[in-house]
Amino acid sequence: MALRNWTRKPLLLAALVAGSLAGGPALAQSCHPEGSFEGWLQSFRKDAAAAGISENAIAAGLQGVRFDPAIVQKDRAQGVFSQTFLEFSDRMVAQYRLDQGKANIAKKYKSVFSRIEETFGVPGAVISSFWGLETDFGANIGDGATLISLATLAYDCRRPELFHDQLIAALKIIDRGDLSPAEMRGPWAGELGQVQFLPMHYLDYGIDFDGDGHINLLKSSPDALASAANYMASLGWRRGEPWLQEVDVPSELPWEQADITIELPRSQWVAWGVRGAHESKLPADELTASLLLPMGRNGPAFLAYQNFNIYLEWNSSLVYSTTAAYFATRIAGAPKVRRGNGPVNNLSGAQLKQLQQALTKRGYDVGKIDGIIGLQTRAAVKDLQMKLGLPADSYPTTELLGRM
């Protein structure tokens, strides 16, 4: 399954690009500031040559490349992350994924995961959660023509610089001999392989872990898994430390401290009455963590440790990142998440857009008016809750909308 949010940087992992811009064929045909696609392609060939790519790789990689308006239409219509954490995680953390993820670590790829953790310090459960969510452990890596997707999105006006560089990287992969143009197939947004790397990440972090002399993230699970660990280690994964832990929260708390940007020692959370869920232990020590309330103070609650920041670097959608981190804890043996302390008055997508528009009129920067509760919307909601004297848990509800 392809999922991607690129609001932070051009990250790996699947094709849910941030944004829910309306657009159809008319928009797709008009959004070309650089003249014809053929003219743009001739200019790109010169850029590729200047980047040191051989003429053979350029010719092979760009043969038959064309503009595909259907790719642009898909790029304009994204909305999966408007779901709540429980809606998304209930669907994605399916029992078959849990069973397969555990079996891969314990049996099928036991030695591979052991080598990976020894080398990079990233646990098998963490890598498996991404592997499972992105492609069902390599079963669904996509079958679209990657080079056509990249060229289309590089020619389109929304993010041309990003995809120009991704197309250059794809040609370098061809030039290096890792993949042929025909082998470059994946989802519509240009990712490649079992953990859905964009070409630049394939080029920079891909590893030949099976020792066959080539980096093949499509067919070689060892290469794909080790490359994911290499990328996470480069982002600063902390060996031996947790990433997410479900907790129980008291009915009263300084809710304004429940913020992914605020890290406090566990001893402080314990002093405020936060306890490990399911009778798990929460040491009152100095290890820092944020209190993450993906659905507000009445919904599920987690301590998000510094390793959780790596999830947000991998994919900046809070719903996706929380689900992936939670999935990893389940593979590692944690129980199913609790539903929370009480009813959560969620806003509909239309109501969320209404709220975002109202926040924008009040001077807040919420990013796009898209009906998605992103980090900017949460920050604005928290500030307004504090001004209105409401519990500042950063989660928009019907009560807040009514007060506005």
Side-chain angles (χ1 to χ4, degrees):
M1 178 176 184
L3 300 170
R4 168 75 77 237
N5 185 313
W6 285 325
T7 58
R8 223 174 163 87
K9 62 171 70 173
L11 301 177
L12 40 134
L13 271 180
L16 188 84
V17 182
S20 55
L21 300 177
L27 175 60
Q29 294 294 334
S30 65
C31 188
H32 304 145
E34 298 188 29
S36 71
F37 179 76
E38 290 72 20
W40 172 86
L41 191 59
Q42 288 302 315
S43 176
F44 178 82
R45 288 177 184 273
K46 295 178 181 178
D47 292 347
I53 302 169
S54 71
E55 286 298 324
N56 286 340
I58 294 171
L62 299 182
Q63 182 179 8
V65 164
R66 59 182 173 79
F67 174 76
D68 185 353
I71 299 296
V72 176
Q73 291 170 0
K74 291 176 181 177
D75 185 49
R76 296 294 195 271
Q78 303 301 310
V80 170
F81 294 141
S82 61
Q83 298 174 358
T84 68
F85 163 69
L86 285 177
E87 288 172 338
F88 190 69
S89 63
D90 283 352
R91 182 166 60 89
M92 299 304 293
V93 185
Q95 189 61 48
Y96 80 90
R97 286 197 175 109
L98 287 168
D99 293 341
Q100 189 170 348
K102 293 176 182 179
N104 283 334
I105 295 171
K107 297 178 182 178
K108 188 173 182 179
Y109 293 101
K110 182 177 181 179
S111 62
V112 171
F113 280 115
S114 295
R115 287 176 56 210
I116 287 173
E117 185 161 7
E118 181 180 353
T119 304
F120 301 105
V122 183
V126 170
I127 304 167
S128 290
S129 66
F130 287 121
W131 191 24
L133 291 180
E134 293 299 333
T135 65
D136 267 337
F137 309 104
N140 301 303
I141 64 173
D143 193 38
T146 298
L147 294 162
I148 289 177
S149 292
L150 293 174
T152 296
L153 294 170
Y155 176 54
D156 182 46
C157 67
R158 192 155 90 87
R159 292 159 302 160
E161 296 85 2
L162 165 63
F163 285 100
H164 173 282
D165 292 347
Q166 298 297 342
L167 185 54
I168 290 286
L171 295 181
K172 288 183 177 180
I173 293 169
I174 295 169
D175 209 13
R176 195 167 66 179
D178 290 329
L179 296 174
S180 69
E183 290 174 316
M184 284 191 163
R185 303 195 69 83
W188 64 264
E191 302 92 343
L192 289 164
Q194 298 185 28
V195 291
Q196 300 288 267
F197 269 29
L198 284 169
M200 289 179 67
H201 289 82
Y202 195 123
L203 195 66
D204 293 341
Y205 301 104
I207 289 179
D208 172 22
F209 208 64
D210 61 13
D212 68 353
H214 294 284
I215 301 171
N216 191 325
L217 307 189
L218 286 75
K219 295 182 179 180
S220 172
S221 295
D223 286 5
L225 299 174
S227 298
N230 184 36
Y231 177 72
M232 298 185 78
S234 77
L235 293 175
W237 183 270
R238 295 181 174 222
R239 183 187 294 265
E241 293 190 10
W243 56 94
L244 194 74
Q245 179 183 3
E246 188 185 358
V247 293
D248 291 329
V249 294
S251 59
E252 297 296 331
L253 194 74
W255 297 112
E256 69 280 0
Q257 299 299 315
D259 191 312
I260 197 65
T261 65
I262 297 175
E263 294 181 347
L264 297 172
R266 285 194 292 199
S267 57
Q268 181 61 73
W269 297 118
V270 170
W272 281 335
V274 176
R275 297 175 290 109
H278 310 284
E279 299 183 356
S280 63
K281 185 178 181 181
L282 184 61
D285 59 18
E286 296 308 297
L287 186 64
T288 59
S290 302
L291 181 58
L292 172 59
L293 305 175
M295 296 175 62
R297 66 190 187 280
N298 289 329
F302 301 94
L303 283 187
Y305 296 92
Q306 291 194 32
N307 277 336
F308 183 75
N309 294 326
I310 308 303
Y311 283 85
L312 289 171
E313 288 290 343
W314 184 292
N315 190 307
S316 62
S317 162
L318 190 62
V319 168
Y320 179 92
S321 293
T322 306
T323 297
Y326 161 63
F327 183 21
T329 66
R330 293 293 309 281
I331 294 174
K336 187 174 182 178
V337 68
R338 294 179 178 178
R339 313 307 285 183
N341 296 323
V344 179
N345 298 316
N346 295 307
L347 298 179
S348 66
Q351 288 174 317
L352 279 169
K353 289 182 180 180
Q354 182 184 353
L355 176 70
Q356 289 173 324
Q357 290 168 345
L359 288 168
T360 300
K361 289 180 181 179
R362 289 174 178 252
Y364 292 103
D365 179 10
V366 301
K368 293 176 181 176
I369 309 298
D370 55 9
I372 297 173
I373 308 173
L375 295 177
Q376 289 173 284
T377 296
R378 288 177 69 95
V381 165
K382 174 183 174 180
D383 187 73
L384 186 60
Q385 286 172 328
M386 293 175 69
K387 290 178 178 178
L388 294 176
L390 297 171
D393 61 4
S394 304
Y395 193 71
T397 62
T398 53
E399 180 185 8
L400 177 64
L401 187 60
R403 290 285 295 272
M404 293 182 68

